[in-house]
Amino acid sequence: MNIGIVCYPTFGGSGVVATELGVELSKHGHSVHFITYSQPVRLDLLNANVHFHEVSVPEYPLFHYQPYELALSSKLVDMVKLHQIDLLHVHYAIPHAYAAYMAKKMLHEEGIILPIVTTLHGTDITLVGSHPHYKSAVAFSINKSDAVTSVSQSLKDDTLRLFNITNEIQVVPNFIELKRGDHEFTDCQRDIMADENERIITHISNFRPVKRITDIIHIFNNIQKEIPAKLMMVGEGPEKEPAEMLCEKLGIADKVIFFGNSNEIDKILCFTDLFLLPSETESFGLAALEAMSCGVPVISSNTGGIPEVNIHGVSGLLSDVGDIADMTKNALHILKNDDILKTFKSNAKAESLNFDIKKIVPLYEAIYESAMEKCISI
Ligand code: GMT
């Protein structure tokens, strides 16, 4: 199949999922075309089956806002015709599902049928999409997609609660490519980051307010009062600077390392003992799953889709949003005892196997097949 993938090419979870899905589909013999405004950050492999087509938006001074949706839908039309793309899989409803529907209508005028599969990722529904300024267009493009998937049951429930949805939504969870054999990262170099007696705690995100970054700093501050520990903060975003200032104020700046965005997530997770994810809302929590797949237990909030990934008492422990005291208590429970830590580590890894990419990609392939059949039969 020739599959077009539209996504945000950034470090965000939706872009990572779209990229890794595309790469895996290419290994199944599909020809995959990424159509986006820059090459996805996790896409280091372009080959005979993996292609990248850049959407450029020329600047014009008349426009206060440059019309990205217009440029994207035009590019989609051109690429579908040039590469005989059979189906478009768009990740993140705004504005991708909307632009894809416009492309579908334009192609229809020329007798070309283009099935659209839309995957909802979270903030396109919960934070941004349900805003009154976008709501009608988001509902419209979800209802006009030929197939719709959401990354968790919780996100499906949110979508049905927030929008007037007439289309079916299928839950296809996010996934992880489990590293096996030669590809597994083993050269941890832990001693560069911390002393042998120190526990290493990590957080990875886009440092937006929804991640409750200051909760992480307060939880870590409480932990390091009880046991020797270091905190690794990975990512870039608006809450990074306030977090750095809070560390200075609390006198723990020497124990907290801010990495910025990193392509060496596996290396950092390899020497991590505990992952913190106290988010306000999270449709899935891909970063938690990535940690679990490296054998790192997770202390998280119990919001949104997180409980579908981080199993309380098994792969980690969950608390109410903002309950810093409970998250501290839970973190210390795991970190203070070598045997408990070891059990949580192996449970975390075992739980992550439920999200093996090899189990999930066939679900998308089946959805593609039925979306194509549905379009042909209309
Ligand atoms: O977490 C973010 O702010 C980024 C956002 C994105 O669109 O990349 O993440 C969302 O999609 C991820 C992949 O499906 C999920 O793992 C995240 O939980 C979800 N974020 C939120 O719901 C806040």
Side-chain angles (χ1 to χ4, degrees), residues 93-101 116 118 134-148 167:
I94 307 170
H96 300 153
Y98 193 76
Y101 180 69
I116 311 280
T118 297
Y134 299 118
K135 200 169 174 175
S136 304
V138 171
F140 174 82
S141 39
I142 292 173
N143 286 331
K144 289 293 179 188
S145 299
D146 298 297
V148 183
N167 221 342

Side-chain angles (χ1 to χ4, degrees), residues 12-14 17 92 121-123 151 174 206 211 281-286:
S14 62
V17 167
Y92 209 89
H121 278 275
T123 45
V151 298
N174 286 334
N206 55 17
K211 304 295 172 184
T281 169
E282 200 74 63
S283 69
F284 184 87
L286 185 66

Side-chain angles (χ1 to χ4, degrees), residues 219-234:
I219 296 164
F220 175 73
N221 186 35
N222 294 340
I223 293 171
Q224 62 82 39
K225 285 177 187 163
E226 301 266 335
I227 55 170
K230 285 260 167 67
L231 176 63
M232 313 283 135
M233 296 290 277
V234 186

Side-chain angles (χ1 to χ4, degrees), residues 213-222 224-225 231 242-256:
I213 298 296
T214 52
D215 285 9
I216 294 164
I217 305 299
H218 286 299
I219 296 164
F220 175 73
N221 186 35
N222 294 340
Q224 62 82 39
K225 285 177 187 163
L231 176 63
E244 285 172 317
M245 284 161 67
L246 181 59
C247 291
E248 292 282 348
K249 190 173 150 208
L250 295 170
I252 55 171
D254 59 328
K255 295 179 179 170
V256 184

Side-chain angles (χ1 to χ4, degrees), residues 141-162:
S141 39
I142 292 173
N143 286 331
K144 289 293 179 188
S145 299
D146 298 297
V148 183
T149 74
S150 77
V151 298
S152 63
Q153 181 61 44
S154 154
L155 180 60
K156 175 178 174 174
D157 296 343
D158 284 342
T159 310
L160 296 175
R161 181 174 49 80
L162 293 165

Side-chain angles (χ1 to χ4, degrees), residues 8 10-18 91-92 119-124 126-127 150-152 155 173-174 205-208 210-211 277 279-288 305-306 309:
Y8 283 105
T10 55
F11 280 94
S14 62
V16 168
V17 167
H91 292 259
Y92 209 89
T119 291
L120 310 174
H121 278 275
T123 45
D124 49 349
T126 52
L127 291 184
S150 77
V151 298
S152 63
L155 180 60
N174 286 334
S205 79
N206 55 17
F207 284 62
R208 299 207 177 275
V210 71
K211 304 295 172 184
L277 191 69
S279 303
E280 183 80 32
T281 169
E282 200 74 63
S283 69
F284 184 87
L286 185 66
I306 299 180
V309 182

